[in-house]
Amino acid sequence: MSSESQKSLDDLIKEAELERLKAERERIEEEKLKIKSERKELERKLNLPWFRRPAFLQAVVAGLVAIPLIWFFVGNIIVPSLNKDNIKLAWENEVKADSLRRAKKLFKKQIDSLEAAKETQAKKTLAELEEQKKQYVKIDSIRKALAAEYKKVLNELNLNKKQRSDLEKRYSSLQSEAEAQKQKLENLNAQITRQKESIPVYLSVEQAGEMIRRNGYYDRNFNPDGKGIDNKFSVQKSGQVVYDAATGLTWQQSGSPGTMNYAKAQKYIEELNAKNFAGFNDWRLPALKEAMSLMETKEGENPLYIDPVFDGKQIYIWTSDKSSASRAWYVSFDYGSCGHLLVGYDNFFVRAVRSGQSSR
């Protein structure tokens, strides 16, 4: 091979190598550009708000898919297995509650029926006593007229000794009978009074509302605009009682330590009188009108609708008034209202009252 041919071959090899190197360089440049572009894209994604980042969006999608599955699993597998005993207990409690409701309804019906029968009999007896009184009065009127005639005859006619003696005996007998009849009439009047007292007088919802509005007492249901009364309380008997000069009533400062049904409330009053509480034995359950006189128009520091001079434990108390044979009125100082509930099932505190002031 000539030297020129050899030189031409070397040049070709160099040119080919140069072409290869140039192509490699271009490839590397393209790779750099690609990497630079990917880097910029990554930086752009990293600078996105958190709610636009792919990871968040992926988590949202995953959550939307997973939540129904979790809900189904919890609601249909876990909850039933955990609540099996609770459902059974709830059912048993509902059965007991339903039984109690039916028992209370039956109790109310029986009490009302019994009291209605007693009331009917009491009214019948009262009518008989009043009729008997009418007969007594009528007979007494006839007797007095006859006695007056005897006296007139004795004074105006000329009678012999025997006739005068007979008339005087008759007149004296009539006077004795009149005195005896007077005593019988007094006894009969006492019987009638006791009989009237034995006939229950019920306070209806309408009557209670009218009484509360008439006296201006506050009650959030019956009279929310009521202003109450200006009580004038003073603590007496070493803190045992509170006297209200505005009403002339003396109250227990505290009251019963616990709640009780109506029969036990009456028993509690009997025990107070038996032990001469605060030196008195004429304690009684307050009438609704009396209990409502303690109602404040807004909650105090207790927080109750009653002056803090009273013990704040007795948040609701029984009254002596009944709305029926089976239901009695109560006053709620924690709610600022009054109502009526079953005497044999419901339980409230007692705050006894008496008329008059106690000696300090």
Side-chain angles (χ1 to χ4, degrees):
M1 183 179 292
S2 64
S3 59
E4 290 180 359
S5 299
Q6 183 64 40
K7 183 178 178 181
S8 176
L9 181 60
D10 289 341
D11 289 340
L12 290 171
I13 291 171
K14 285 181 180 179
E15 288 177 2
E17 184 66 22
L18 287 172
E19 288 294 331
R20 188 186 67 76
L21 290 173
K22 185 179 179 181
E24 183 68 19
R25 182 178 178 181
E26 290 176 353
R27 188 187 66 78
I28 290 171
E29 288 295 329
E30 289 177 357
E31 191 72 25
K32 286 172 65 179
L33 290 172
K34 183 180 179 181
I35 290 172
K36 187 176 181 180
S37 176
E38 289 177 351
R39 181 179 178 181
K40 286 183 178 180
E41 179 66 19
L42 181 61
E43 289 177 349
R44 185 184 68 79
K45 289 181 178 179
L46 290 174
N47 289 329
L48 286 173
W50 61 270
F51 55 84
R52 293 183 58 190
R53 293 177 186 175
F56 173 75
L57 297 175
Q58 291 172 1
V60 170
V61 172
L64 292 175
V65 173
I67 286 173
L69 295 175
I70 295 172
W71 184 265
F72 176 83
F73 181 74
V74 171
N76 293 276
I77 298 175
I78 295 179
V79 172
S81 63
L82 292 177
N83 288 347
K84 186 176 181 180
D85 291 339
N86 290 340
I87 292 172
K88 181 180 179 182
L89 181 61
W91 172 253
E92 291 175 350
N93 288 338
E94 180 59 29
V95 170
K96 291 179 181 177
D98 183 62
S99 176
L100 180 60
R101 283 192 292 270
R102 284 188 277 107
K104 290 175 73 174
K105 187 175 181 180
L106 179 61
F107 169 81
K108 180 181 181 300
K109 184 177 180 180
Q110 290 176 337
I111 291 296
D112 286 344
S113 176
L114 179 62
E115 289 299 318
K118 288 171 63 178
E119 183 178 350
T120 300
Q121 183 59 44
K123 288 180 177 178
K124 182 180 178 181
T125 303
L126 178 61
E128 292 172 351
L129 289 172
E130 288 180 336
E131 182 60 31
Q132 187 178 350
K133 178 182 176 180
K134 287 181 182 178
Q135 296 300 323
Y136 275 18
V137 171
K138 185 177 180 180
I139 292 171
D140 188 58
S141 177
I142 295 171
R143 184 180 289 109
K144 286 180 179 178
L146 184 58
E149 287 295 325
Y150 281 170
K151 191 171 184 180
K152 184 179 179 181
V153 170
L154 286 170
N155 292 334
E156 295 180 0
L157 297 181
N158 293 319
L159 302 174
N160 59 40
K161 187 175 181 181
K162 183 177 184 306
Q163 289 174 329
R164 182 173 292 278
S165 176
D166 289 342
L167 280 178
E168 286 177 348
K169 286 180 181 179
R170 291 178 188 178
Y171 179 76
S172 178
S173 176
L174 281 175
Q175 292 297 96
S176 298
E177 288 177 9
E179 285 298 318
Q181 191 74 2
K182 182 180 178 181
Q183 184 60 48
K184 288 181 180 179
L185 190 58
E186 288 178 357
N187 293 338
L188 187 58
N189 283 330
Q191 279 184 272
I192 290 173
T193 300
R194 288 194 298 270
Q195 194 65 26
K196 285 181 178 179
E197 291 174 350
S198 71
I199 298 174
V201 178
Y202 299 126
L203 183 67
S204 69
V205 173
E206 293 75 16
Q207 290 171 329
E210 196 280 327
M211 177 274 292
I212 289 169
R213 289 186 290 272
R214 184 176 65 251
N215 288 279
Y217 296 144
Y218 171 79
D219 184 289
R220 70 164 59 204
N221 295 323
F222 288 113
N223 194 26
D225 297 324
K227 305 301 181 184
I229 66 173
D230 185 18
N231 301 103
K232 293 177 172 39
F233 296 125
S234 60
V235 179
Q236 300 177 0
K237 291 287 183 178
S238 303
Q240 288 182 297
V241 301
V242 176
Y243 174 67
D244 184 6
T247 60
L249 297 173
T250 297
W251 296 88
Q252 276 185 297
Q253 189 278 336
S254 181
S256 64
T259 60
M260 59 194 72
N261 64 28
Y262 201 71
K264 290 183 178 178
Q266 293 171 318
K267 182 69 175 175
Y268 174 80
I269 294 293
E270 292 176 5
E271 291 172 354
L272 284 182
N273 289 324
K275 66 182 181 182
N276 220 39
F277 175 74
F280 300 98
N281 60 4
D282 56 351
W283 295 101
R284 53 184 171 79
L285 286 175
L288 179 62
K289 179 180 178 180
E290 294 171 331
M292 287 300 295
S293 73
L294 301 181
M295 187 73 74
E296 298 285 321
T297 58
K298 59 183 179 180
E299 290 180 303
E301 297 177 359
N302 313 39
L304 296 172
Y305 291 83
I306 190 172
D307 194 285
V309 72
F310 292 99
D311 182 357
K313 184 178 180 181
Q314 290 72 30
I315 57 179
Y316 29 67
I317 61 172
W318 283 116
T319 77
S320 60
D321 285 310
K322 287 186 172 184
S323 61
S324 70
S326 58
R327 302 176 76 89
W329 286 91
Y330 68 92
V331 172
S332 174
F333 295 110
D334 63 336
Y335 187 69
S337 186
C338 62
H340 54 108
L341 287 173
L342 289 173
V343 296
Y345 279 88
D346 296 295
N347 295 279
F348 297 102
F349 291 94
V350 176
R351 173 168 279 122
V353 70
R354 61 176 299 273
S355 300
Q357 183 177 11
S358 63
S359 58
R360 295 173 183 270

